[in-house]
Amino acid sequence: MNPHKLRHAAAQFVAATVALMILAAGCFGAVLCMFGQPDLRRISTLEATKLADVELSQLIGTTDYVKDEATANPTLLRAVSSTLHLPFTDPLTMLTAELPETQTQAAASTGGQSALIQSITTWAASTNKIAMGWLASTSTSACIQMLKDNPGINVASPQWFRLSDASGNISGQVLPDVVKYAHEHHIKVWVLVDNNYSASLTHAVLTNPKARNNLIDELNYQAKLYHLDGINVDFENVAAADRDAFTAFMKQLHDTLSPEGINLSVDVAPDIEPFNDSAAFFHAGLSDDVDEMVLMAYDEHWDGDSDPGPVADLPWVTQSVNDLLDTGVPTDKLVLGMPFYTRLWHVYKDGHVADKAVGVSDDSIKSALDDYHAGTGSFNQQLDLMYTRQPQADGYMEMWYPTAKTYTDDLSLVNENGLAGVAVWSLDWSDKQTWSSVVSALRDTLS
C-alpha cells in the first residue's frame, strides 16, 4: 500500500475515534444534566455508603450483610456508563474485585449476647488475627459449653497435658468429643502442656537427651493421633541456667511438629528490663523456632504477693509488649494474653496480706465488693483501672479491676503494633457479659 494513503487512512481513523469520544462525552454530560445535582448527590452518597460497607466488611467483617436489591436496580446513568464502558462509574464492583475474599463463621446469638458477639468472629477471619481461649478444664461438657458461651474464639487451648516425670512422660488425656466439636465449628485445638511448674523436673528433662526426645515424640504422637492443630508449651518457673536448653528443646520440637503441619506456640511471662534478654526465656531465639509467642500479660501482682496491686495495669502491659518487641520478637508472632480475673486484697493490721481471684464480670465484682461492704470506687486514669478501698475491723480491703475502656486500650496495643492476636486466661472466668465487653472493645479499636 502507498505510504501516503496509509498515513491518510490512519489520520482519518484517529479523527473518527476522537469525534466519537467527544460525542460520547457530550451524551454523558447531557445525561448528567438530566439527573440534576440532587440525584447526583444521592448517587454519590449511595456509592460512598456501599464502599464503606465493603471496607468495614473486609476489616472487621459482618455476618448479617445482605446486598440491598432495591439499590441495585439499573438506572439510566448505569446503562449509559455500561454501554460506553466508562471507567470509575462502578467503584463498588472495582473495589470488591480487588479485595481478598473472606470467609466468616456466623455465631449464634443467645440470651443477652448481642450482635457485637458476632464481630469477633468476622474480625478474626477477615484480619487473620488469633482469638485464643485457654480451657482450664478436663470435663468434656464443660469445655464444650465454654466454647458455646464464647463465640468467635478461633483457637482453643485446653490444659490437658502435663510433664509427669524426669523420663519425659506426660500425664493427661485428649477429650476427642471436644476436638470434634471444635473442628465442626472451625475452631483449632492447640493442647497446652505444662511442666508441673517444677524447675527441677524441667531441668532434669531438658538436660537429658533421652528424656527430651521422649517428650517430643509423645507430643508429636498425641497430636497426630487425635488430629490436634497445635501444641501450646506453658513451661513456667524455668531456671535461668536452663535458658539455652529450653531454646534448643523448642527448636527440636518445632522441627518435629512443623513437617506434620502442627502449630507450635510458647507462653512467656513478662520480663521487663529494656533490651535485656538474659532471663530464662531467650525471646529472640525462641521466636525463630515457634509459630507464636503468647505473652502472659497478667499477674503483675500475683497470688501470694505481699505487695498488693493490679493484675495487669495498662502501663505495665504496654511496657511488657514493648520489651518483647525490643528484644527481637516479630510483631506478627506475638499474641497478647489478657486476664479475665482480678484480685481482691485483704491487708491486715499486722501487715499480713491475703488475696483471692475474682472474675471481672459486673456480677462477680459486685458480689466481691458486697462481701466487704465496699463501694465501686473511682477510675484511675494512669492505670486504666477502677480502684476501690474499704476499711475493715482488722485492716482494709482493696481491689483494682478493669472496665470496657481497659479492654479497648489493651486491645489497641494489638492493632497498633500489628500483633498476631489475643489470648484470654481463661474461658473458665468468662461469661456472656465479659466476652461482650471484649468483643465491643475489639470493634472500637478497629473502627
Side-chain angles (χ1 to χ4, degrees):
M1 178 180 290
N2 189 303
H4 296 289
K5 290 184 177 180
L6 180 61
R7 284 195 294 271
H8 180 68
Q12 286 183 324
F13 176 77
V14 170
T17 301
V18 171
L20 285 173
M21 291 177 64
I22 293 173
L23 179 61
C27 292
F28 183 62
V31 170
L32 293 182
C33 291
M34 291 171 61
F35 268 85
Q37 289 301 318
D39 286 335
L40 284 176
R41 199 174 299 113
R42 178 179 58 82
I43 294 171
S44 300
T45 301
L46 174 62
E47 291 300 315
T49 300
K50 294 171 79 175
L51 284 171
D53 286 344
V54 170
E55 182 181 6
L56 181 63
S57 177
Q58 294 299 326
L59 181 61
I60 63 172
T62 171
T63 59
D64 57 359
Y65 174 75
V66 178
K67 184 178 180 181
D68 186 355
E69 298 297 336
T71 62
N73 292 332
T75 63
L76 180 58
L77 175 61
R78 290 187 182 276
V80 172
S81 301
S82 176
T83 302
L84 298 178
H85 302 288
L86 296 177
F88 307 114
T89 55
D90 191 4
L92 175 67
T93 301
M94 294 172 61
L95 181 59
T96 304
E98 292 301 317
L99 289 170
E101 293 185 5
T102 60
Q103 295 180 347
T104 60
Q105 166 197 350
S109 182
T110 59
Q113 291 170 296
S114 68
L116 288 176
I117 291 294
Q118 298 179 357
S119 69
I120 192 173
T121 306
T122 47
W123 169 80
S126 62
T127 61
N128 294 318
K129 296 287 188 185
I130 293 169
M132 172 176 156
W134 281 291
L135 306 175
S137 175
T138 56
S139 162
T140 296
S141 59
C143 287
I144 291 176
Q145 189 61 50
M146 282 187 275
L147 295 178
K148 288 180 179 179
D149 289 343
N150 295 276
I153 285 290
N154 58 24
V155 176
S157 184
Q159 195 174 11
W160 290 342
F161 292 157
R162 170 162 289 180
L163 183 62
S164 59
D165 59 40
S167 297
N169 295 312
I170 58 175
S171 59
Q173 62 179 355
V174 172
L175 302 179
D177 287 345
V178 176
V179 177
K180 180 175 181 290
Y181 176 88
H183 287 169
E184 287 174 347
H185 292 80
H186 312 289
I187 301 171
K188 295 180 180 179
V189 179
W190 298 352
V191 173
L192 180 149
V193 55
D194 68 46
N195 61 337
N196 220 349
Y197 308 99
S198 171
S200 58
L201 177 60
T202 305
H203 174 79
V205 173
L206 294 181
T207 56
N208 182 338
K210 184 177 180 180
R212 187 174 64 243
N213 291 339
N214 182 48
L215 173 58
I216 291 172
D217 290 343
E218 184 63 19
L219 291 173
N220 185 42
Y221 170 78
Q222 293 285 337
K224 291 193 293 184
L225 177 64
Y226 292 103
H227 307 290
L228 305 179
D229 304 288
I231 296 294
N232 175 234
V233 176
D234 185 51
F235 279 21
E236 302 184 35
N237 196 29
V238 178
D242 289 324
R243 176 177 182 262
D244 293 341
F246 181 68
T247 304
F249 162 73
M250 292 300 296
K251 175 175 175 28
Q252 184 180 350
L253 180 58
H254 186 261
D255 289 345
T256 301
L257 298 179
S258 184
E260 304 292 342
I262 301 168
N263 186 280
L264 178 62
S265 58
V266 62
D267 304 335
V268 298
D271 178 27
I272 300 175
E273 191 171 343
F275 302 102
N276 187 347
D277 202 5
S278 61
F281 299 115
F282 177 31
H283 299 128
L286 284 172
S287 66
D288 288 338
D289 297 307
V290 297
D291 298 297
E292 293 85 20
M293 182 175 291
V294 185
L295 172 63
M296 298 181 290
Y298 41 85
D299 282 350
E300 175 184 1
H301 293 267
W302 56 92
D303 181 20
D305 194 347
S306 59
D307 179 24
V311 168
D313 64 56
L314 182 61
W316 182 82
V317 172
T318 303
Q319 191 176 359
S320 299
V321 169
N322 290 338
D323 178 67
L324 283 188
L325 298 179
D326 289 341
T327 52
V329 178
T331 58
D332 59 356
K333 284 192 175 184
L334 185 59
V335 177
L336 178 63
M338 301 169 54
F340 271 8
Y341 68 93
T342 187
R343 293 197 178 279
L344 185 151
W345 305 88
H346 190 143
V347 181
Y348 293 88
K349 290 181 177 179
D350 63 3
H352 172 66
V353 177
D355 67 273
K356 68 175 182 178
V358 177
V360 294
S361 70
D362 286 347
D363 289 343
S364 296
I365 295 295
K366 183 178 184 304
S367 177
L369 295 178
D370 287 347
D371 288 344
Y372 285 83
H373 305 287
T376 56
S378 59
F379 189 75
N380 185 310
Q381 295 286 349
Q382 181 180 359
L383 300 181
D384 209 27
L385 295 168
M386 291 291 292
Y387 173 73
T388 184
R389 173 170 169 158
Q390 180 67 27
Q392 304 293 309
D394 54 359
Y396 64 89
M397 66 74 63
E398 61 182 343
M399 184 167 67
W400 294 259
Y401 59 96
T403 67
K405 182 179 184 302
T406 309
Y407 291 131
T408 300
D409 294 339
D410 282 346
L411 291 166
S412 292
L413 295 173
V414 176
N415 297 303
E416 291 171 2
N417 290 286
L419 304 189
V422 296
V424 293
W425 181 269
S426 69
L427 295 188
D428 300 57
W429 290 105
S430 177
D431 62 12
K432 294 177 181 178
Q433 180 241 338
T434 305
W435 190 243
S436 292
S437 296
V438 172
V439 172
S440 178
L442 281 172
R443 171 173 285 183
D444 289 344
T445 62
L446 289 168
S447 63

